[in-house]
Amino acid sequence: MEFARATRSVLIASIFLSGVISTGCPMEKSFIFFPEKEIVETPADVGLAFEDVYLNTSDGVKINGWFVPSSGARTTLLWFHGNAGNIGHRVEPLHRMHDALNVNILMIDYREYGKSNGEVSEEGTYRDAIAAYDYLLTRSDVDPKRIVLFGQSLGAGVAVELALKRKAAGLILEAPFTSIAAMAKAAFPWLPIGGLLSTRYDNLSKIARVNVPLLILQGDRDEVVPYAQGRQLFEAAKEPKTFYTIQGAGHNDTYLIGGEPYHRALFRFIERLH
């Protein structure tokens, strides 16, 4: 579900090529974001207790998320998903993560995704992330010193930005990219559209300013985000940092192919955090 809809993206790229789109055009959203409104599954469908929460952002947008508690959990994972679908498409990996790590989990839908209101944008996703983090600070069952940010694919850009604005115990990035411009170049090397995009998510320029322990995970067969981009981010980041290669995994099957060793890498990282 991350950086999905290749056929549609090729069509949009052809529009870029024709010169119809200029910087900041709303059509740019269709190249980057693929929200869906229908929630096809909830944690209750896999036997998990959860709270359906609604949060107000600083610019007045109401967003939706799930808080999934874990008995005796010391750590809370704030989860930012990729660019396609919504939280309802991520119940299985959420369930596996919850069981393997014994952490509370808050997963949100960005504005325009699922039951969240508003229209999605880069700045909007950053505001959504701050609202989610600040909500966690209001909960008596969340240790504010043990909030770990987890960003997958597009969500990596959201998590990196939040790590610069709020305190976190750690930062986990799965299948992260260096920037939207770099992704556009990787997807369409023959089409110079990077400079036309106002949406940046420029993770590479930000990562060296992140001052929390970092874990990057990426499949060595990632067919969407080049493996080299994850490595490039890792090299630019400060210590302490860890890179975990998920052998044989692509972009959307990391938790399936990675299995127990994947979850063990996450568990070890979280347990080492002070």
Side-chain angles (χ1 to χ4, degrees):
M1 298 298 295
E2 325 302 341
F3 281 112
R5 315 299 200 275
T7 301
R8 184 177 169 191
S9 293
V10 170
L11 174 61
I12 294 165
S14 69
I15 298 173
F16 270 103
L17 186 62
S18 71
V20 172
I21 296 181
S22 61
T23 301
C25 177
M27 181 63 76
E28 177 181 314
K29 284 176 50 181
S30 299
F31 176 73
I32 298 167
F33 304 105
F34 302 94
E36 294 183 19
K37 300 304 292 184
E38 182 184 4
I39 303 294
V40 296
E41 191 175 23
T42 75
D45 293 315
V46 293
L48 287 179
F50 76 104
E51 298 176 34
D52 197 31
V53 300
Y54 287 88
L55 314 172
N56 292 312
T57 68
S58 61
D59 58 338
V61 176
K62 181 175 288 187
I63 62 169
N64 176 239
W66 295 330
F67 184 83
V68 184
S70 184
S71 179
R74 298 171 55 236
T75 301
T76 299
L77 199 68
L78 179 49
W79 188 328
F80 303 109
H81 63 65
N83 71 331
N86 57 54
I87 54 179
H89 297 99
R90 293 163 172 92
V91 170
E92 183 181 0
L94 183 153
H95 188 196
R96 293 185 184 220
M97 191 83 77
H98 179 269
D99 288 355
L101 304 185
N102 187 33
V103 293
N104 302 317
I105 296 173
L106 175 60
M107 180 188 288
I108 65 161
D109 263 332
Y110 314 117
R111 56 191 65 200
E112 197 172 336
Y113 285 72
K115 294 191 289 183
S116 294
N117 297 332
E119 295 185 6
V120 69
S121 66
E122 178 180 5
E123 180 60 31
T125 61
Y126 296 156
R127 292 177 183 268
D128 300 340
I130 289 174
Y133 179 96
D134 290 351
Y135 163 74
L136 288 177
L137 299 183
T138 71
R139 296 189 62 105
S140 61
D141 53 355
V142 169
D143 183 345
K145 295 181 180 179
R146 292 197 62 84
I147 296 174
V148 175
L149 312 180
F150 177 42
Q152 291 181 307
S153 194
L154 184 83
V158 181
V160 168
E161 177 71 12
L162 184 59
L164 296 176
K165 293 181 175 178
R166 294 292 189 270
K167 293 181 180 180
L171 174 64
I172 302 171
L173 305 177
E174 183 175 296
F177 57 99
T178 54
S179 68
I180 289 295
M183 283 297 299
K185 183 176 181 179
F188 312 110
W190 45 271
L191 187 61
I193 64 175
L196 299 176
L197 300 173
S198 61
T199 304
R200 304 294 185 185
Y201 289 109
D202 193 353
N203 300 322
L204 188 59
S205 72
K206 300 174 183 179
I207 196 67
R209 293 185 280 124
V210 171
N211 292 307
V212 297
L214 171 69
L215 171 64
I216 292 181
L217 311 100
Q218 190 159 9
D220 61 358
R221 296 185 182 179
D222 194 320
E223 72 285 7
V224 178
V225 177
Y227 181 80
Q229 289 197 26
R231 291 296 312 181
Q232 191 176 0
L233 275 178
F234 178 74
E235 294 301 327
K238 294 178 181 177
E239 296 283 356
K241 57 185 178 180
T242 304
F243 192 97
Y244 181 80
T245 298
I246 311 164
Q247 299 288 342
H251 193 68
N252 296 311
D253 59 2
T254 52
Y255 69 99
L256 290 173
I257 300 299
E260 183 179 350
Y262 163 84
H263 288 104
R264 194 162 55 243
L266 288 163
F267 181 82
R268 285 197 303 263
F269 175 77
I270 290 172
E271 285 299 298
R272 287 197 299 264
L273 298 175
H274 299 298

